[in-house]
Amino acid sequence: VNGLQARTFGVWTLLSSVIRCLCAIDIRNRTLYYITLFTFFLALVHFLSEVFIYHSAELTIGVMAPLMVASFSILGMLIGLQYLEVEEMSQNKKKN
């Protein structure tokens, strides 16, 4: 890894964490919720491709940890999305 690659990965990680923190603050913002969900999909695809397609990483604990975080986060956010939709529908009924 050269310096440019390390800095690019660092900026990508920082950007993802800022998006995720903003979603935690305003979890009812549907657009932000989908963007946050996409960051977890992107991380999962990235690490899986590095292991299984490019073979630039081995399946060690250093790679398994982000894979597990991304997988569980995707699962949790998909479950949470159903609750957001139910809440939105109930708020629409109250308005009518």
Side-chain angles (χ1 to χ4, degrees):
V1 175
N2 63 34
L4 175 61
Q5 290 170 323
R7 288 187 298 276
T8 302
F9 188 74
V11 168
W12 173 67
T13 303
L14 180 64
L15 177 61
S16 294
S17 64
V18 167
I19 290 170
R20 292 167 187 169
C21 287
L22 289 173
C23 183
I25 292 169
D26 187 13
I27 199 161
R28 289 179 179 83
N29 184 333
R30 183 176 291 283
T31 303
L32 191 55
Y33 197 89
Y34 283 121
I35 291 170
T36 304
L37 183 59
F38 180 72
T39 66
F40 286 115
F41 274 116
L42 191 61
L44 183 67
V45 169
H46 168 71
F47 283 102
L48 287 174
S49 68
E50 291 299 329
V51 172
F52 295 112
I53 296 173
Y54 301 114
H55 304 288
S56 59
E58 294 181 15
L59 206 54
T60 61
I61 190 68
V63 174
M64 291 289 291
L67 286 174
M68 290 184 345
V69 168
S71 299
F72 290 131
S73 298
I74 289 169
L75 181 64
M77 288 192 76
L78 289 175
I79 292 169
L81 185 61
Q82 294 175 350
Y83 289 104
L84 287 178
E85 290 173 354
V86 168
E87 183 179 317
E88 184 177 288
M89 288 173 47
S90 67
Q91 287 178 356
N92 287 339
K93 287 181 182 179
K94 288 179 184 178
K95 290 179 183 178
N96 294 332

